[in-house]
Amino acid sequence: MKSVYFSITGLSDAVRITSDETAIHGQFHLLSLPPEVRDQIYDAILDLDAPPTDPKYVGYKQIEKGFTCRLHLPTRAPQASSATLLSCNRQLHNELSQAISRRACSASKTGLTYSLDLLVEGADRRKDEYEHLSPTWTKMPALPIKYAKSIHVNFKVQNYPGLIFWGAGGPGQTTQSLMNLLSRFFAYGPTFDEDSTIPTPPDFVEELIIEVLLVEDPQNGILDHHERRSKVVGGLLLLDLVVHSGLLAGKLGKISICVDGAIKKQWVVTEEANVEKTAKEWSCYGWISS
């Protein structure tokens, strides 16, 4: 069996170990620690933030009726914080897998939480008729995503005037782009890409939490502003259409929109009698059926 040494630097204070017998250059032989301590370490690993990956411009994603947005995907598939330890040896694989299953259980109070930074850049009407969406996972405890207690999305807006939530008689370009990305997640998994070699759509997400942020515009120097955040929240209220369409039934439990950690709007996902018909109607707005 391969020897495994594990540095606990940077983990929770609750996982502090002091033992001269097991310490080797500031590291510990993980399997020499008591099982209850190993369980604490596994939980700490599942709560680690992941380093962001560099986005890669992957070209246009053409949808029906000419709808187009520019989607920037990571240069590589997201790696779970548990991936390295799962590949060490059979015992660690089994113990960590049990910890993942325990946390992923629908009855778990702690659950598995995932985090995503989503940069939404409004279209520059003078130069570019398209919007840019750049999703980056910053917390990925385990793959595939079986049961997630929550997915936290930091919804970062640049060039707010270039956003169009409502168009002529239907959802605007911004809303269509967001619907397209949301449907990609439930169709193709955390890569958002139909060409991914590891298509792993989630089984179920208990709650999608969207935290609205405004970030500095490198062109105009626009900083966070209460009035503009309120307008973005107002635009996101169009998610009401998706929530009550039935397209997310059995996939997502509820959606919350937050500002400064406070919930501004929350929906419980409802079912629809004829989901297949609804999905066909919504395909012209960027929705991809899984």
Side-chain angles (χ1 to χ4, degrees):
M1 181 179 67
K2 183 193 297 182
S3 295
V4 179
Y5 294 93
F6 185 81
S7 174
I8 59 171
T9 303
L11 296 183
S12 169
D13 288 341
V15 193
R16 290 187 179 276
I17 317 289
T18 55
S19 173
D20 293 336
E21 295 181 358
T22 56
I24 302 178
H25 303 299
Q27 296 180 326
F28 297 87
H29 193 299
L30 184 55
L31 294 178
S32 70
L33 300 175
E36 61 273 15
V37 174
R38 295 203 299 272
D39 284 341
Q40 292 182 60
I41 292 175
Y42 299 148
D43 282 335
I45 289 172
L46 296 177
D47 290 329
L48 285 175
D49 292 334
T53 55
D54 295 328
K56 177 186 67 172
Y57 175 50
V58 295
Y60 301 104
K61 294 294 181 181
Q62 188 70 37
I63 313 300
E64 291 184 24
K65 295 189 177 180
F67 162 67
T68 308
C69 71
R70 287 183 174 178
L71 183 61
H72 300 255
L73 299 179
T75 53
R76 62 181 184 275
Q79 183 175 8
S81 58
S82 58
T84 301
L85 206 57
L86 282 171
S87 63
C88 285
N89 61 48
R90 184 175 299 177
Q91 182 177 347
L92 287 176
H93 178 91
N94 292 339
E95 290 182 356
L96 185 51
S97 296
Q98 290 173 8
I100 293 171
S101 298
R102 182 178 68 251
R103 290 278 296 272
C105 174
S106 60
S108 172
K109 292 184 178 180
T110 53
L112 289 175
T113 61
Y114 297 74
S115 298
L116 177 76
D117 274 3
L118 177 58
L119 178 62
V120 181
E121 299 174 83
D124 186 339
R125 304 302 169 191
R126 297 166 299 179
K127 303 177 182 178
D128 193 342
E129 60 178 316
Y130 305 119
E131 290 177 347
H132 297 260
L133 270 67
S134 303
T136 302
W137 290 101
T138 58
K139 187 175 183 181
M140 180 68 64
L143 285 172
I145 302 175
K146 293 296 184 180
Y147 186 101
K149 185 174 181 64
S150 63
I151 294 179
H152 295 252
V153 178
N154 286 321
F155 189 82
K156 299 180 176 180
V157 176
Q158 273 188 355
N159 189 24
Y160 165 77
L163 302 184
I164 302 176
F165 288 100
W166 189 259
Q173 181 171 295
T174 302
T175 304
Q176 294 181 44
S177 299
L178 295 175
M179 287 196 300
N180 179 253
L181 191 67
L182 183 61
S183 63
R184 282 178 172 277
F185 173 67
F186 285 105
Y188 310 127
T191 62
F192 304 101
D193 193 353
E194 67 270 31
D195 297 325
S196 171
T197 57
I198 49 169
T200 53
D203 289 348
F204 187 78
V205 177
E206 189 173 320
E207 183 176 10
L208 177 64
I209 302 171
I210 303 173
E211 179 76 28
V212 177
L213 306 167
L214 292 184
V215 297
E216 183 175 2
D217 189 319
Q219 296 287 330
N220 304 315
I222 299 173
L223 297 176
D224 194 347
H225 192 277
H226 176 74
E227 180 182 355
R228 290 194 169 181
R229 271 201 302 188
S230 298
K231 290 181 178 179
V232 172
V233 171
L236 288 175
L237 292 182
L238 286 174
L239 286 172
D240 184 83
L241 300 174
V242 182
V243 169
H244 297 299
S245 68
L247 296 173
L248 296 173
K251 302 175 182 178
L252 180 63
K254 58 184 176 182
I255 300 177
S256 301
I257 297 179
C258 302
V259 175
D260 295 330
I263 296 177
K264 297 299 182 181
K265 179 66 178 179
Q266 188 175 75
W267 299 274
V268 175
V269 173
T270 58
E271 297 184 4
E272 170 65 33
N274 195 340
V275 177
E276 185 175 342
K277 179 182 177 182
T278 304
K280 186 175 181 180
E281 293 172 349
W282 279 65
S283 63
C284 64
Y285 296 126
W287 190 266
I288 297 174
S289 299
S290 54

